[in-house]
Amino acid sequence: TTRYGMVSAPLRERFGVTHRLNFYDESAMSTIVGRSAKILDINAHEDGLAEIARRSRGTPRVANRLLKRVRDYAQVKADNMISGTVARDALLQLEVDAVGLDTMDRMVLRSIIENFSGGPVGLETIAASISEDADTIMDVYEPFLLQMGFLDRTRSGRTATRRAYEHLGFPPPEEKTERAQ
């Protein structure tokens, strides 16, 4: 489970060993995407597969979904061949950026930055502002945003980091300093 704390203590104690799974690194993702391309009989150059791997959030399920969509694009627009340029163009149309952020990731971050001055803001408020379920934001979008350093969770709520501002092209917030009185 990804929600280990929700498993009751007596049940957790029955497990002999507990493992934690992390996101895959780019090299492993390239191997996974290459293997999937062979299984699906997809024609692709290494640079195209590497581009898909780079934007796949370290998750094979995401990589395979992106690979299939890029394949579809290549079948129509690029004589059925995925090159680096074709992969970039297809992923641009899918609105998956260079680090793997998709439309919803950017909506979460933009809402915090534009509507709530960078935060802190509560999860339910973010959810209401973008018309998305709070649990979906917490379970689907937040883990990657946190891992990538775009989002912080504080006692007061979620805040967008300097990295989020820079990535989305917003001027970074001024550093808050305490004034001596």
Side-chain angles (χ1 to χ4, degrees):
T1 181
T2 56
R3 311 269 316 256
Y4 186 68
M6 295 188 72
V7 177
S8 69
L11 181 58
R12 275 196 317 260
E13 290 172 10
R14 286 183 173 88
F15 298 120
V17 178
T18 303
H19 294 280
R20 174 167 166 55
L21 300 177
N22 293 316
F23 292 113
Y24 288 86
D25 64 22
E26 199 172 306
S27 173
M29 289 308 305
S30 290
T31 301
I32 291 166
V33 172
R35 180 181 179 278
S36 294
K38 285 180 185 167
I39 290 170
L40 295 170
D41 198 28
I42 295 173
N43 298 317
H45 296 292
E46 287 299 317
D47 60 338
L49 298 176
E51 191 67 36
I52 294 166
R54 188 174 13 267
R55 298 179 190 215
S56 66
R57 306 170 74 109
T59 307
R61 173 182 36 79
V62 172
N64 289 330
R65 177 178 54 83
L66 293 177
L67 175 63
K68 289 173 186 175
R69 297 300 67 85
V70 173
R71 174 204 55 199
D72 295 345
Y73 178 90
Q75 286 175 339
V76 173
K77 300 273 188 174
D79 295 326
N80 206 29
M81 175 59 72
I82 298 174
S83 65
T85 301
V86 169
R88 281 187 290 282
D89 291 347
L91 293 166
L92 179 67
Q93 287 207 351
L94 291 170
E95 298 182 13
V96 176
D97 72 16
V99 297
L101 296 185
D102 63 18
T103 303
M104 188 58 70
D105 295 315
R106 288 187 299 276
M107 280 179 66
V108 168
L109 294 173
R110 277 198 174 98
S111 176
I112 295 169
I113 293 168
E114 293 178 328
N115 300 337
F116 307 104
S117 302
V121 60
L123 179 61
E124 294 290 337
T125 304
I126 297 168
S129 76
I130 63 171
S131 300
E132 182 60 80
D133 178 65
D135 288 336
T136 301
I137 293 171
M138 186 172 66
D139 294 337
V140 177
Y141 301 105
E142 268 192 357
F144 185 67
L145 294 173
L146 287 164
Q147 176 126 2
M148 293 296 294
F150 291 120
L151 186 69
D152 281 334
R153 276 199 294 211
T154 68
R155 286 184 177 176
S156 303
R158 276 65 174 173
T159 60
T161 65
R162 175 178 283 285
R163 184 166 188 221
Y165 278 82
E166 291 168 353
H167 184 74
L168 295 176
F170 288 99
E174 293 182 21
E175 298 297 326
K176 296 178 183 176
T177 57
E178 293 184 33
R179 293 184 186 177
Q181 295 185 0

